[in-house]
Amino acid sequence: MEKSIRIIYFGTPEFAAVPLKNLLKNGYNVVAVVTIPDKPQGRGQTLKSSEVAAVAEQYNIPTLKPKSLKSPKFLKSLQDLNPEVGVVVAFRKLPKVVWEMPTKGTFNLHASLLPQFRGAAPIHWAIIHGEPQTGVTSFFLNDEIDAGKIIMQESIDIMPDDTTGSMYHKLMHLGSDVIVQTIAAIAHDGVAAQDQPTDMPLKMAPKIFKTDALIDFRKSLPEIDQFIRGMNPIPGAYFEIEKEGKKVPLRINSAAIQFRDSHSISNQLIVEDKQLGVSHKEGVIWLKNIQAPGKRQLPADQFLNGWQDIENWHLVPKNKES
């Protein structure tokens, strides 16, 4: 029976914790969880467990938190558990000695339709690229990152107002179902894994850093909108304004684009009807939620109450040297 198959579960954040909870609520035999060591957080630097560890504790599942995935003690602990299937969700790269250990293989759940958007930030990049769909893929691990044989895929539409945050939650729940289906197929020896296609141009999904979130207003209006949504909520798209040598970064969490004949110079701050926008050759980008350094996020009209001279500030082009 598939629910008795011995599962080792590797994961760290909420994206991995929700599928783990789904497995445990449905009676699957997770014999141990592997996650990161506890980390100090907050002013008191209190040690805090990962979201996956918290779920494991709730269900009294043994939890391993190795500093090194190659340590003899950790490898012996895994071996003693006699794992049949390894499940990896939002975790670091496993060494071969670990992913080869489960007798029926180790699979990863990736938040894209592989082979597209291999890498650390697949949801961000799918939205930034304006993809109409994304999805999740379960695939067997091999020596290459996100390149193993595909077991299952499920797709989902990206709606015009979707952000990385909203798609994260949609894919997290979609992935929970795909993990259950993948385990069932493996348990019944019903997997016909397929090599990933190699006959198409690939879009990659490298890790995104805060500096990558700077908006390029030279892009088209749809591309700017996609970029802002793709960077929401983390790290948050931003641009810089300048006056008399002083630069201030402003974070933007949402915006609306308006196509219209432009009678102003591109890349200028404009205020109309208590709304803040940036002029563009195709129209205007209206900035809906704005956050100044050290301040809370505000709607445009409230933000303008504290920046009544905003039109005297200048937009700093992305390509301008700092």
Side-chain angles (χ1 to χ4, degrees):
M1 184 178 175
E2 73 208 44
K3 290 188 178 181
S4 65
I5 194 167
R6 297 179 65 81
I7 300 166
I8 298 281
Y9 194 94
F10 300 81
T12 298
E14 180 191 21
F15 195 87
V18 168
L20 172 61
K21 194 167 188 175
N22 184 47
L23 286 174
L24 295 170
K25 283 174 66 177
N26 285 283
Y28 282 85
N29 185 27
V30 179
V31 296
V33 161
V34 182
T35 190
I36 61 171
D38 296 351
K39 288 187 174 182
Q41 290 191 3
R43 288 185 179 180
Q45 292 291 281
T46 305
L47 288 177
K48 185 178 178 181
S49 299
S50 71
E51 287 91 337
V52 160
V55 172
E57 182 179 349
Q58 181 184 350
Y59 285 84
N60 297 312
I61 304 299
T63 305
L64 305 174
K65 303 176 181 179
K67 290 182 178 178
S68 169
L69 296 175
K70 293 182 179 179
S71 76
K73 182 179 178 181
F74 169 66
L75 295 175
K76 178 67 165 53
S77 297
L78 278 189
Q79 213 164 26
D80 290 345
L81 290 164
N82 299 313
E84 294 177 272
V85 178
V87 181
V88 184
V89 187
F91 197 63
R92 60 188 189 265
K93 185 179 179 182
L94 298 186
K96 187 175 183 179
V97 67
V98 172
W99 58 257
E100 277 192 335
M101 199 176 292
T103 54
K104 291 180 178 290
T106 297
F107 73 88
N108 180 264
L109 182 82
H110 188 71
S112 82
L113 298 173
L114 291 174
Q116 297 299 352
F117 300 109
R118 293 172 178 163
I123 305 175
H124 293 78
W125 287 108
I127 293 175
I128 290 168
H129 276 273
E131 298 295 315
Q133 284 190 326
T134 186
V136 292
T137 304
S138 61
F139 67 95
F140 283 119
L141 292 188
N142 63 13
D143 288 320
E144 299 178 68
I145 294 175
D146 300 334
K149 289 191 173 185
I150 291 173
I151 306 168
M152 291 184 181
Q153 287 188 323
E154 289 287 344
S155 63
I156 188 172
D157 291 340
I158 299 176
M159 305 308 291
D161 60 347
D162 268 323
T163 65
T164 289
S166 65
M167 287 308 304
Y168 177 96
H169 286 92
K170 291 178 184 180
L171 293 173
M172 180 172 66
H173 292 289
L174 182 63
S176 294
D177 295 335
V178 169
I179 286 172
V180 170
Q181 294 166 25
T182 301
I183 290 172
I186 291 172
H188 292 103
D189 298 321
V191 172
Q194 302 292 319
D195 288 334
Q196 293 190 27
T198 57
D199 58 348
M200 62 177 71
L202 293 183
K203 300 170 186 174
M204 303 305 289
K207 185 175 181 178
I208 288 176
F209 298 93
K210 187 174 180 180
T211 52
D212 297 324
L214 182 62
I215 301 168
D216 186 352
F217 287 103
R218 296 169 300 180
K219 301 280 190 180
S220 70
L221 284 180
E223 287 174 321
I224 295 169
D225 175 61
Q226 290 158 198
F227 185 83
I228 292 170
R229 290 188 291 113
M231 292 294 174
N232 181 352
I234 295 173
Y238 74 99
F239 64 96
E240 293 180 318
I241 59 175
E242 182 179 30
K243 186 177 80 169
E244 297 172 355
K246 179 184 178 182
K247 278 187 194 176
V248 176
L250 297 178
R251 177 172 167 162
I252 305 303
N253 291 294
S254 63
I257 58 175
Q258 179 185 16
F259 291 96
R260 70 184 192 187
D261 292 336
S262 181
H263 300 293
S264 59
I265 301 172
S266 294
N267 296 349
Q268 283 191 330
L269 295 168
I270 57 175
V271 177
E272 290 182 13
D273 299 324
K274 297 184 178 180
Q275 294 300 304
L276 177 63
V278 175
S279 62
H280 188 276
K281 62 185 179 181
E282 298 172 354
V284 182
I285 306 106
W286 295 108
L287 310 174
K288 297 295 184 182
N289 291 289
I290 308 158
Q291 189 171 11
K295 305 292 184 180
R296 62 189 177 90
Q297 181 186 140
L298 293 171
D301 58 343
Q302 294 181 32
F303 173 83
L304 289 171
N305 288 337
W307 288 76
Q308 295 182 6
D309 68 336
I310 193 74
E311 289 176 289
N312 295 325
W313 290 71
H314 303 286
L315 197 71
V316 180
K318 182 177 180 180
N319 61 340
K320 185 175 180 178
E321 294 294 333
S322 301

